Amino acid sequence: MTAPRLLKGILTGILTGALAVSALPDAETDHADVIVRGTDLEAVAAAVAHHGGTVELEIGLIDAVAADVPVDLVDDLLADSRTLEVSPDASVEVLSRDLNENHRGLTGLEAFARIGGAPASQYAGAGIDVAVVDTGIDATALPGTRVVRGVNVSFEPSEQGNAGHGDGYGHGTAMAGIIAGNTRHFQGVARQARLIDVKVADERGVADVSQVLAGIDWVVTNRNTDGRDVRVLSLSFGTDGTNAASTSPLAYAVEAAWRHGIVVVAAAGNHGDALGRLTVPAVSPNIIAVGAADLSAVESHRTLGRTTVPAWSAVGHDRAPDLVAPGRSLLGGRAEGSAVATAHPDAHEGRYLLGSGTSHAAAFTAGVVAAALDADRSLTPDRVKALLVATARPLTSADPARAGAGVLDMGALFPEGRLTQRPVTTSTDRVWSDGTGLLDGDRGRFVLEDADGERLTGERTVVGDFDREAWRSSTWTGSTWTGSTWTGSTWTGSTWTGSTWTGSTWTGSTWTGSTWTGSTWTGSTWTNVRWGE
């Protein structure tokens, strides 16, 4: 066992939640390679030593160590009060690098061209603001890209002198590059769009549902203030929450944005058919839910029918993704020193970061929406969705529960370089969420936990009790919700800032341009709430 493999294995497990587990015991030595996690790194190391183990690598990001432990003492280690979890070290197998020895990642604009968009489209999102609710945007990683600060409701302070808020985790910067990167050698789908940085998760990828609600609330309230014109909301996250779409608070929030004229694009999830449904808020049938498409066999628009859908792209039996979009092997911005960039040096391509996931597909689609709105600013969210679905290329080889209407087809959406004028029908018979579901129903199975082991459960938010009626009645009318400060000033002083996260971080993306084989790593608790789908 080597330290580099351990580091790659455990951190990839956190970020993807899908690993092939290697055999736990070493038959020759009766020792096991394990990952031991607790709430305090020093205490975990002491517990390993107490039970005859050897620490081989510290993984401070998650208060864990990689260790070599006698097999017959693993159960004793697990029972030790200083440990929370003992999991097998895992080996991983990357696939996409084997598909083509000349393989490289695609920029957003290159993928746009491959599915039928003109390489230098005249519609590049000029004048359109895209709100990116994520882990923040490191604007220094994307010189030439138009990034402005929106609000920071995360636990991570904003960086001084950064047009965005900074991104200690690295996920939001990657998404930003796909949407609107605009450097000399790297361009996103809508390179002239402006990105509004709405930071809800910190340098560990930690965020509570209440922080996401606050971020969306801010976007709706401030969509037309201080010179903003927010027309698109990009959500590369999802939880394994159990609330019905008709009651989910997150669904209520994104649908309120939709009714206020903002096109909402959400990632469907990276869990395949494990849940049988899309993640929250993609479960809402009233927004655009996007799965991932693999363009490995697509050489040009002429061969778009060869598109496949990765097995990890979410299946929805009641509410399928509306469509799929390029989501495998895309290049995004790389925030230097961020958790993702540090953990995955193998995903670096020049100054950029190679990755896959429905998060990437959602960001790509948000850029396409900005381009469509640049072509016709009178488009309503309903008409945008109808046009994307009507022009999608059906995929006969893919299950509609995974592929929806098919893959985004820029040749059909922009025939001869102009936005299609085909008539489409928009639905008037729909059920909207009433937002009455419990916050825990949207949180899913894992929640925030402070240093004393107190869990953020029930109807509590990071900054106090959740006044549901006040939130539902006033927050979407343009006035700030008075039940709590949703403007960012009280969030960073929260008592939860020294917390651990017992669910997951912004997972669901892979950072080597690959998918990961094997079954879900059942020894891990980092595979459920998938921020960054």
Side-chain angles (χ1 to χ4, degrees):
M1 179 179 69
T2 62
R5 183 173 71 84
L6 271 172
L7 181 62
K8 180 179 178 182
I10 183 61
L11 291 182
T12 302
I14 295 169
L15 293 169
T16 68
L19 295 175
V21 181
S22 57
L24 177 63
D26 183 325
E28 294 182 0
T29 62
D30 292 325
H31 279 227
D33 295 339
V34 296
I35 304 300
V36 186
R37 187 171 66 86
T39 57
D40 179 83
L41 186 61
E42 186 174 335
V44 169
V48 168
H50 178 74
H51 294 287
T54 302
V55 173
E56 298 190 352
L57 180 70
E58 292 186 351
I59 311 170
L61 180 67
I62 59 170
D63 289 314
V65 298
D68 179 75
V69 177
V71 171
D72 58 0
L73 293 178
V74 169
D75 288 342
D76 292 341
L77 180 60
L78 182 59
D80 193 299
S81 61
R82 291 168 289 187
T83 67
L84 293 177
E85 180 183 24
V86 179
S87 303
D89 176 34
S91 60
V92 298
E93 177 184 359
V94 297
L95 298 180
S96 67
R97 295 272 181 188
D98 298 329
L99 295 176
N100 183 341
E101 62 183 15
N102 297 316
H103 169 81
R104 61 174 291 275
L106 297 174
T107 68
L109 191 61
E110 288 169 338
F112 184 84
R114 187 171 292 191
I115 63 174
S121 172
Q122 61 182 310
Y123 303 118
I128 304 299
D129 286 347
V130 180
V132 182
V133 176
D134 214 290
T135 63
I137 300 175
D138 180 356
T140 63
L142 295 165
T145 303
R146 303 181 66 204
V147 179
V148 297
R149 294 190 186 203
V151 68
N152 179 6
V153 294
S154 77
F155 299 135
E156 181 182 9
S158 297
E159 293 184 6
Q160 297 297 319
N162 190 329
H165 291 103
D167 183 8
Y169 192 69
H171 186 273
T173 303
M175 301 304 106
I178 294 169
I179 297 169
N182 193 25
T183 72
R184 181 178 179 183
H185 301 293
F186 177 92
Q187 294 183 323
V189 178
R191 61 195 181 279
Q192 293 177 10
R194 187 171 67 165
L195 302 177
I196 309 298
D197 179 9
V198 181
K199 182 177 175 65
V200 299
D202 67 10
E203 69 277 8
R204 299 163 296 166
V206 170
D208 180 59
V209 164
S210 58
Q211 289 166 291
V212 178
L213 289 174
I216 298 171
D217 187 339
W218 183 91
V219 170
V220 176
T221 301
N222 295 278
R223 65 193 183 281
N224 297 129
T225 62
D226 297 330
R228 283 180 285 265
D229 184 16
V230 178
R231 300 292 304 277
V232 188
L233 178 56
S234 182
L235 304 175
S236 287
F237 71 84
T239 81
D240 69 341
T242 57
N243 280 329
S246 59
T247 62
S248 161
L250 273 174
Y252 181 90
V254 297
E255 289 173 359
W258 190 273
R259 292 195 295 267
H260 279 84
I262 301 173
V263 182
V264 181
V265 182
N270 286 7
H271 52 272
D273 200 11
L275 297 179
R277 68 194 302 240
L278 307 187
T279 52
V280 181
V283 291
S284 168
N286 300 307
I287 64 172
I288 301 174
V290 185
D294 184 347
L295 302 184
S296 298
V298 178
E299 299 160 358
S300 66
H301 182 249
R302 181 178 57 82
T303 56
L304 186 58
R306 298 177 185 172
T307 299
T308 58
V309 181
W312 44 260
S313 190
V315 174
H317 295 295
D318 294 327
R319 188 277 199 265
D322 293 296
L323 42 78
V324 295
R328 187 176 183 193
S329 300
L330 293 188
L331 292 173
R334 189 176 84 226
E336 286 299 330
S338 65
V340 169
T342 300
H344 296 280
D346 51 340
H348 296 191
E349 281 199 14
R351 297 175 58 186
Y352 307 102
L353 193 69
L354 180 66
S356 301
T358 59
S359 57
H360 298 68
F364 182 93
T365 304
V368 170
V369 170
L373 289 168
D374 183 8
D376 184 353
R377 295 171 188 270
S378 71
L379 292 176
T380 64
D382 285 346
R383 181 162 173 79
V384 169
K385 178 176 179 177
L387 284 174
L388 264 59
V389 170
T391 57
R393 178 78 64 91
L395 297 176
T396 57
S397 61
D399 182 354
R402 194 188 302 272
V407 62
L408 273 177
D409 184 341
M410 294 302 97
L413 184 62
F414 289 97
E416 299 181 354
R418 300 283 182 176
L419 184 68
T420 181
Q421 297 299 306
R422 74 164 62 183
V424 292
T425 302
T426 58
S427 174
T428 57
D429 182 20
R430 65 183 72 181
V431 176
W432 299 93
S433 174
D434 60 16
T436 58
L438 297 179
L439 290 183
D440 278 353
D442 274 358
R443 285 182 174 122
R445 286 176 283 175
F446 297 98
V447 298
L448 206 63
E449 185 176 285
D450 69 12
D452 296 323
E454 182 181 359
R455 293 165 66 85
L456 184 62
T457 59
E459 291 295 273
R460 290 184 299 161
T461 73
V462 169
V463 291
D465 292 337
F466 187 45
D467 187 341
R468 181 179 307 279
E469 291 309 310
W471 176 72
R472 290 175 66 241
S473 63
S474 66
T475 192
W476 310 109
T477 60
S479 60
T480 300
W481 179 45
T482 57
S484 181
T485 302
W486 290 83
T487 57
S489 61
T490 66
W491 295 84
T492 55
S494 166
T495 59
W496 296 95
T497 56
S499 64
T500 58
W501 184 241
T502 61
S504 76
T505 56
W506 286 75
T507 64
S509 299
T510 64
W511 300 103
T512 59
S514 66
T515 57
W516 302 91
T517 62
S519 58
T520 298
W521 190 21
T522 56
S524 169
T525 60
W526 300 87
T527 60
N528 295 284
V529 183
R530 299 174 184 274
W531 301 98
E533 298 283 12

